[in-house]
Amino acid sequence: MPESSAAVPAPNSTPDDAVVYTEKLWPNFWIWLVAAGLSGAGIFVFAPISLTTGLVAAVVLFTILAVLLVLSTPTITVTGSTLRVGRATIERRFLGAAAAFDGAEATAERGTRLNGLAFLCIRGWISPVVRIEITDPSDRTPYWLTSTRHPDQLLAALRS
């Protein structure tokens, strides 16, 4: 599976439903290794019954973990009129300033500087984050904070 699929931002004159940017926040390789290691524990649990049962349990556990990882992988999609992060969608007219953070700054955004009312779509295996201010006066959410492997491309798409 590819780590992400980022579209090149389109010019300013895009139809409202045209996708300007998309990215899938796939788990890193080491997450799949952890899933394989956890499923390998099935061998140890069921090996006293039989080795075949242990191997079947490991395969079943890995299949369950893989399905859960794939189903819980969020997508970031920017169209001419909306921003969708995971299951949340907002019209772009309610978006304010957006800023990208990496390294220690990203850690601070996810931690000490985090507002408890912010919408979060963060993944521990992706360091960079983008904070997008929300300007809707009827929405108590001050900003969205999302992980992204391509913060500059996401910012460019939001500015288009």
Side-chain angles (χ1 to χ4, degrees):
M1 273 182 244
E3 278 193 11
S4 66
S5 54
V8 178
N12 291 343
S13 59
T14 60
D16 285 350
D17 60 345
V19 174
V20 178
Y21 175 85
T22 186
E23 177 181 1
K24 193 92 167 155
L25 302 178
W26 292 109
N28 281 355
F29 179 73
W30 66 269
I31 296 293
W32 293 103
L33 286 179
V34 169
L38 288 174
S39 62
I43 296 172
F44 296 116
V45 171
F46 291 100
I49 297 171
S50 77
L51 184 58
T52 304
T53 305
L55 291 172
V56 168
V59 170
V60 168
L61 284 171
F62 183 77
T63 303
I64 291 169
L65 290 173
V67 166
L68 290 174
L69 281 171
V70 169
L71 290 178
S72 67
T73 300
T75 302
I76 301 170
T77 305
V78 179
T79 67
S81 62
T82 62
L83 167 64
R84 182 177 181 91
V85 178
R87 288 184 257 168
T89 303
I90 190 168
E91 293 180 38
R92 287 185 58 186
R93 64 187 174 107
F94 295 122
L95 301 182
F101 302 92
D102 199 4
E105 289 293 311
T107 302
E109 287 296 320
R110 290 186 300 261
T112 56
R113 290 192 294 224
L114 182 64
N115 185 320
L117 296 175
F119 169 77
L120 302 176
C121 184
I122 54 177
R123 296 296 182 257
W125 52 83
I126 301 174
S127 177
V129 294
V130 170
R131 183 178 66 200
I132 306 158
E133 304 294 330
I134 305 300
T135 60
D136 184 359
S138 64
D139 190 349
R140 292 185 40 188
T141 306
Y143 60 88
W144 286 16
L145 188 67
T146 182
S147 296
T148 176
R149 288 189 173 91
H150 308 284
D152 294 332
Q153 291 178 6
L154 177 55
L155 289 176
L158 290 171
R159 290 183 186 123
S160 67

